[in-house]
Amino acid sequence: MVLTKQQNYWQNLAKQFAESEVKPKVNEMEKQGEFPLFFMKKLGELGILGIGFPEKYGGQNADSFSFILAVKEISKVWASLGLSIGAHLLGTNPIYFAGTEEQKKHYLIPLVRGEMLGAFGLTEPSSGSDAASSRTSAVSVNGSYLLNGRKVFTTSASYASTFVVSALTSREKGKKGISAFILERNYPGLMIAKKEEKLGLRASDTSGLILDGCQVPKENLLGLEGDGFRVFLQTLDAGRLGIAGWALGIAEAAFEQMLDWAKKNEVDSGLMDEHEWEAGMIAEAATKLEAALLLAQEACRVKDTGQFYIKEASMAKYFASTLAVEVCDAALKIIGCSALTNDLPVERYFRDAKLGEIGEGTSEIQKLVIAREVLKTSGRLVPA
Amino acid sequence: MLVKGAGISFDLSEDHLMIQDMVRKFAEKEVSPGAGERDRSMEFPRDICSKLGELGLMGVNTPTEYGGAGMDSISYAIIIEELSRACASTGVVAAVQNTLAQLPLYRFGTEELKRKYLPDLAAGKKIGAYCLTEPSSGSDAGSLQTMAQKNGDFYFLNGQKLFVTNGMAADFFIVYATIDKSKGNKGISAFVVERTFPGFKIVRKEEMLGVRASGTAQIAFENCRVPVSNLIGEEGDGFKIALTTLDSGRISIASQAVGIAQGAYDAALKYSKERSQFGKTISNFQFVQEMLVDMITYIEAARLLVYRSSYLKDKGVPFSKEASMAKYFASTMSEKATSHALQIHGGYGYTKDYPVERFYRDARVTEIYEGTTEVQKMVIARNILGG
């Protein structure tokens, strides 16, 4: 794959940081479930959190694919850290997309610089894939909104300084009644609920939010009342690209373990006679890794031209997250029993990868999105 | 292919149904409740082993004269499936106890060995384990390095064993070692080693992706002193004993894989009827239906393969190919089915609030232990191609 100078720069910077600073800490922190707050600050200082944002908001003014490559390199070393970056962007992008200059100055700049940690509260106990059915309400009272409801699976909630959350300003209007708000951690009535114990990504924080008459100043409404659904969809498009990069990082990491093992066991010297089966798995993974990266690159290209890229983002996410699970599985198959113990990182990759098929829209939702877009554009499947 | 002797039967006997009902109730009441906690703490289900022993489920195929239940192989498959449906660790613990630890004894052991070891194992009073795999010998069991040197009334064992299920809790170990490396497979011999024998050492407990409560250990023998009378069969019989045992072991693991998948399917079916999105329960969505349909179709097919291989085993005809087919199909199916179950649960499935993430982790090892999927394919290929 040919990368621009800029893309190379960000990829290398992230790789270097991940290899030299993050890697030595991963096993211990993941085992303890220790949130990588320190590394998030560091990523801010390095500019990695701000890769895709304009300079005037503290960003690096680089292209979307530079960011995806950086996420990939970091996730390759530690998926929990990669996911924390993704969640931070979910809490940052809505402000960039819909915020006033005042909100951008107050929130966006410190978020982009990593001085604040962002989170995003959309999912509710009974509203997951069906995001439009959220029940959290926002009532306007004396210059404030009072928010009531519950959010679940809010990534980084226990550590975030700001939250972008959805709430209904009007029950009758359906999707058009959904609004977006910026909440600060210390607002009265905002409480962090139970932290989830998960299959993987133990150092990434997943907690609930309880909004019990949470008082939010009027000026913290994002956009207009009823803009929420549109803002969240736009945020999720970008988020899906992030997950594609994240999943690719895990897939590449598992692939490298597979290659190391094959080389150690001299599979390369016997490809034609005794190791066809391993050769087949390696070739399949290598081919799909290239394809996945190209899908992500294409989605980024369309995004940066300012066009809708919902189909491309869903394709990139669907393909990369399915692939990550597949490659982890192949690595377990090739390496065998040793890969099941925690002496090798493969069992961690296997546990982590599964989230890619669920978070920010399950694979089933991605397929529905892709099908809808493909049917809409009457069958022109391949971008010109 | 439906051929004479394939043993087609779609009804379980009254006895089989009774056993199924009894084990299912026991598993729901005694095994299921602590499964999540044991998975976390990696605590071996020692109490459950005792209770299983009292119920006659720890020596299912062991002859009654040695304290076993003397039941048939289909009963055994049912028992392992039902236990695994509640807790895969308990399933494999019981499988190792029943088959890997006892079959070598009741098939190949002297009368003295049978009398000495089988009754306590079958009663669940003592725990048994099986030591074949080594750091450099997994699928290629013939290349094992552990040495047994005879000196007077004792063999002295030296070497290391890996991935010993039940190892942390076991009292007795079936151990394979070679008396002469130059003899290859013909040098391999099998011994019963007690935990208390001098020179026996637990190196460490393995922390694993799944079956975390199975007490899987690394073991070392440092001049471990084993009485000559603890040799199983003759010197050089070990390879034959190992292969014979593993044929039956494959039925165990196939049953375990079916049980894990069934447990995951039950959870997913229930959840799909409770969870509503877009104004209807998610069981109404074709994607979800497709996953459920695939799961149950493959589960039933796998179960039939398990029953067929068990039936052939009971008839006393060769069943090696059929056991490998059952294990290959059931373990691959189980991985897919548990993944579907997790997917149907969405974000909740990724958390430890629901059992499906445990099933997903547990299913994975069924494709690896007691012969990887690839080794099963080799066995099947050899059978259909000859040679």
Side-chain angles (χ1 to χ4, degrees):
Chain A
M1 168 166 292
V2 183
L3 299 180
T4 65
K5 210 171 141 190
Q6 189 180 49
Q7 289 162 353
N8 259 320
Y9 169 80
W10 288 109
Q11 171 161 277
N12 289 336
L13 182 75
K15 188 182 167 85
Q16 226 166 33
F17 171 72
E19 292 280 339
S20 63
E21 299 199 31
V22 180
K23 200 173 202 165
K25 307 268 188 200
V26 173
N27 282 344
E28 193 51 29
M29 288 179 75
E30 184 66 19
K31 195 171 175 186
Q32 301 300 332
E34 191 182 337
F35 185 79
L37 193 59
F38 166 77
F39 287 128
M40 287 300 291
K41 286 213 170 79
K42 221 48 215 271
L43 287 165
E45 287 164 21
L46 288 170
I48 289 175
L49 298 180
I51 290 177
F53 295 94
E55 275 170 54
K56 68 170 172 172
Y57 301 125
Q60 305 295 328
N61 211 22
D63 67 328
S64 296
F65 196 51
S66 291
F67 176 66
I68 298 308
L69 290 169
V71 169
K72 172 174 80 74
E73 291 305 325
I74 287 157
S75 307
K76 192 169 169 178
V77 170
W78 196 12
S80 285
L81 181 57
L83 194 72
S84 305
I85 300 174
H88 179 73
L89 266 288
L90 290 180
T92 304
N93 272 326
I95 305 173
Y96 176 49
F97 295 147
T100 61
E101 280 310 310
E102 189 54 35
Q103 287 168 338
K104 285 179 182 168
K105 202 177 127 199
H106 199 66
Y107 296 110
L108 180 62
I109 294 174
L111 283 166
V112 165
R113 289 182 176 154
E115 294 156 9
M116 281 181 164
L117 185 72
F120 180 68
L122 178 63
T123 301
E124 298 183 6
S126 61
S127 136
S129 296
D130 183 12
S133 71
S134 72
R135 291 180 187 168
T136 298
S137 64
V139 183
S140 170
V141 185
N142 301 332
S144 296
Y145 286 97
L146 291 183
L147 269 60
N148 281 290
R150 276 180 62 198
K151 301 288 177 182
V152 289
F153 305 135
T154 308
T155 309
S156 304
S158 308
Y159 300 89
S161 17
T162 61
F163 301 84
V164 173
V165 303
S166 63
L168 292 171
T169 39
S170 161
R171 279 200 187 279
E172 299 78 49
K173 291 186 185 161
K175 286 177 194 173
K176 297 220 164 95
I178 298 177
S179 303
F181 299 88
I182 308 168
L183 275 56
E184 292 181 25
R185 185 181 185 80
N186 58 7
Y187 283 175
L190 168 71
M191 279 160 294
I192 308 299
K194 184 186 119 189
K195 181 181 166 128
E196 297 287 351
E197 260 194 85
K198 307 188 295 291
L199 169 63
L201 301 160
R202 291 181 185 154
S204 153
D205 174 66
T206 311
S207 301
L209 294 181
I210 297 170
L211 301 167
D212 182 14
C214 177
Q215 198 180 337
V216 181
K218 262 223 146 84
E219 54 273 22
N220 277 28
L221 173 70
L222 257 179
L224 303 172
E225 281 194 7
D227 278 355
F229 201 67
R230 185 180 55 79
V231 173
F232 290 128
L233 287 188
Q234 206 181 347
T235 302
L236 286 177
D237 285 346
R240 281 164 189 175
L241 273 179
I243 295 286
W246 174 86
L248 268 165
I250 300 175
E252 279 187 12
F255 183 64
E256 282 179 11
Q257 287 290 326
M258 201 158 119
L259 286 188
D260 282 354
W261 185 91
K263 282 182 188 151
K264 215 172 86 192
N265 291 277
E266 291 172 7
V267 167
D268 52 343
S269 60
L271 286 183
M272 288 307 288
D273 40 320
E274 54 200 53
H275 293 299
E276 277 177 45
W277 177 79
E278 284 92 344
M281 289 221 267
I282 289 167
E284 191 177 332
T287 307
K288 288 184 178 173
L289 278 167
E290 288 272 345
L293 202 57
L294 287 166
L295 280 175
Q297 190 187 32
E298 172 62 10
C300 288
R301 187 190 65 79
V302 178
K303 174 174 186 262
D304 289 347
T305 62
Q307 300 172 63
F308 283 113
Y309 63 104
I310 178 164
K311 180 191 79 183
E312 287 78 6
S314 284
M315 282 182 169
K317 192 232 174 207
Y318 163 54
F319 195 85
S321 59
T322 311
L323 177 64
V325 173
E326 255 178 54
V327 179
C328 289
D329 187 52
L332 283 178
K333 281 201 172 84
I334 286 192
I335 301 170
C337 254
S338 318
L340 289 181
T341 70
N342 63 359
D343 292 347
L344 285 179
V346 184
E347 68 90 28
R348 166 162 61 87
Y349 302 153
F350 178 77
R351 288 184 288 105
D352 291 348
K354 189 72 182 138
L355 183 80
E357 295 185 336
I358 296 169
E360 299 190 37
T362 62
S363 288
E364 290 66 39
I365 293 293
Q366 306 308 327
K367 288 185 204 174
L368 289 178
V369 168
I370 296 163
R372 194 181 58 207
E373 294 300 313
V374 167
L375 291 167
K376 216 195 289 184
T377 52
S378 62
R380 199 169 64 88
L381 296 184
V382 184
Chain B
M1 208 169 16
L2 299 180
V3 292
K4 188 164 175 286
I8 297 300
S9 163
F10 297 99
D11 287 325
L12 291 179
S13 71
E14 284 300 315
D15 285 351
H16 290 141
L17 290 172
M18 243 170 60
I19 290 161
Q20 186 177 51
D21 184 58
M22 185 259 280
V23 184
R24 185 170 296 172
K25 282 182 181 141
F26 174 79
E28 277 165 11
K29 187 162 162 274
E30 305 277 351
V31 183
S32 199
E37 189 44 42
R38 285 192 299 274
D39 171 62
R40 255 176 281 233
S41 65
M42 304 201 295
E43 191 194 330
F44 188 84
R46 188 63 187 85
D47 288 352
I48 293 174
C49 288
S50 302
K51 287 177 185 162
L52 288 171
E54 284 161 25
L55 291 171
L57 302 178
M58 279 308 211
V60 177
N61 299 142
T62 302
T64 48
E65 56 198 295
Y66 304 113
M71 288 191 265
D72 66 1
S73 300
I74 293 183
S75 306
Y76 173 67
I78 290 170
I79 291 162
I80 299 301
E81 180 190 330
E82 292 300 329
L83 292 175
S84 305
R85 185 177 165 214
C87 168
S89 289
T90 303
V92 73
V93 165
V96 168
Q97 175 87 357
N98 265 288
T99 302
L100 298 192
Q102 293 180 59
L103 189 143
L105 287 167
Y106 67 72
R107 286 284 299 277
F108 302 98
T110 58
E111 191 60 23
E112 185 198 337
L113 286 180
K114 291 180 194 174
R115 298 248 168 248
K116 185 162 181 201
Y117 292 111
L118 285 172
D120 279 352
L121 286 170
K125 287 180 185 154
K126 299 283 185 185
I127 301 296
Y130 188 77
C131 305
L132 179 61
T133 300
E134 299 184 2
S136 61
S137 116
S139 297
D140 180 15
S143 70
L144 61 82
Q145 302 287 314
T146 298
M147 284 293 301
Q149 276 167 316
K150 194 171 171 182
N151 192 343
D153 292 339
F154 296 97
Y155 286 94
F156 289 86
L157 268 56
N158 280 289
Q160 274 204 45
K161 296 289 178 181
L162 284 189
F163 306 127
V164 180
T165 309
N166 292 4
M168 293 305 293
D171 305 283
F172 309 142
F173 299 78
I174 307 292
V175 179
Y176 294 90
T178 177
I179 45 152
D180 184 351
K181 279 184 199 167
S182 68
K183 287 188 177 163
N185 292 350
K186 298 226 161 75
I188 297 173
S189 308
F191 303 88
V192 190
V193 176
E194 297 187 24
R195 193 188 191 87
T196 53
F197 285 176
F200 174 94
K201 221 172 115 183
I202 300 278
V203 179
R204 69 167 199 191
K205 186 175 186 170
E206 295 289 2
E207 209 178 301
M208 298 186 300
L209 174 67
V211 291
R212 287 163 55 85
S214 61
T216 299
Q218 257 185 50
I219 286 170
F221 302 99
E222 293 167 0
N223 271 324
C224 180
R225 207 177 69 182
V226 181
V228 169
S229 57
N230 276 30
L231 174 70
I232 306 174
E234 305 287 325
E235 283 191 354
D237 280 355
F239 198 68
K240 182 184 71 186
I241 297 173
L243 290 189
T244 307
T245 308
L246 286 178
D247 277 344
S248 292
R250 278 159 196 169
I251 299 182
S252 312
I253 302 307
S255 310
Q256 187 203 18
V258 172
I260 297 170
Q262 182 71 46
Y265 168 80
D266 295 339
L269 184 69
K270 180 164 175 277
Y271 185 81
S272 75
K273 291 194 274 192
E274 290 166 359
R275 173 77 172 173
S276 281
Q277 289 290 274
F278 303 102
K280 47 191 176 182
T281 65
I282 60 169
S283 58
N284 284 289
F285 292 100
Q286 287 180 343
F287 279 140
V288 173
Q289 289 174 2
E290 188 192 11
M291 286 192 265
L292 289 169
V293 167
D294 273 0
M295 286 163 85
I296 194 61
T297 306
Y298 279 82
I299 288 171
E300 292 192 4
R303 187 180 288 124
L304 289 169
L305 285 173
V306 172
Y307 288 172
R308 181 182 67 157
S309 55
S310 309
Y311 168 86
L312 293 177
K313 181 185 167 189
D314 286 336
K315 266 182 80 169
V317 299
F319 65 99
S320 180
K321 181 188 79 183
E322 288 75 12
S324 284
M325 283 181 166
K327 182 183 185 277
Y328 159 47
F329 190 86
S331 58
T332 314
M333 169 287 284
S334 194
E335 192 202 340
K336 191 88 191 157
T338 51
S339 174
H340 281 338
L342 200 159
Q343 192 67 21
I344 288 172
H345 281 74
Y348 289 103
Y350 200 76
T351 72
K352 294 191 186 285
D353 292 351
Y354 287 83
V356 284
E357 67 86 30
R358 171 165 56 84
F359 288 128
Y360 179 65
R361 286 184 287 107
D362 288 341
R364 202 58 192 70
V365 74
T366 63
E367 280 212 83
I368 292 173
Y369 59 21
E370 302 198 28
T372 61
T373 292
E374 293 64 44
V375 166
Q376 307 310 325
K377 288 181 187 173
M378 277 163 50
V379 172
I380 298 164
R382 208 156 45 213
N383 266 283
I384 59 180
L385 296 168

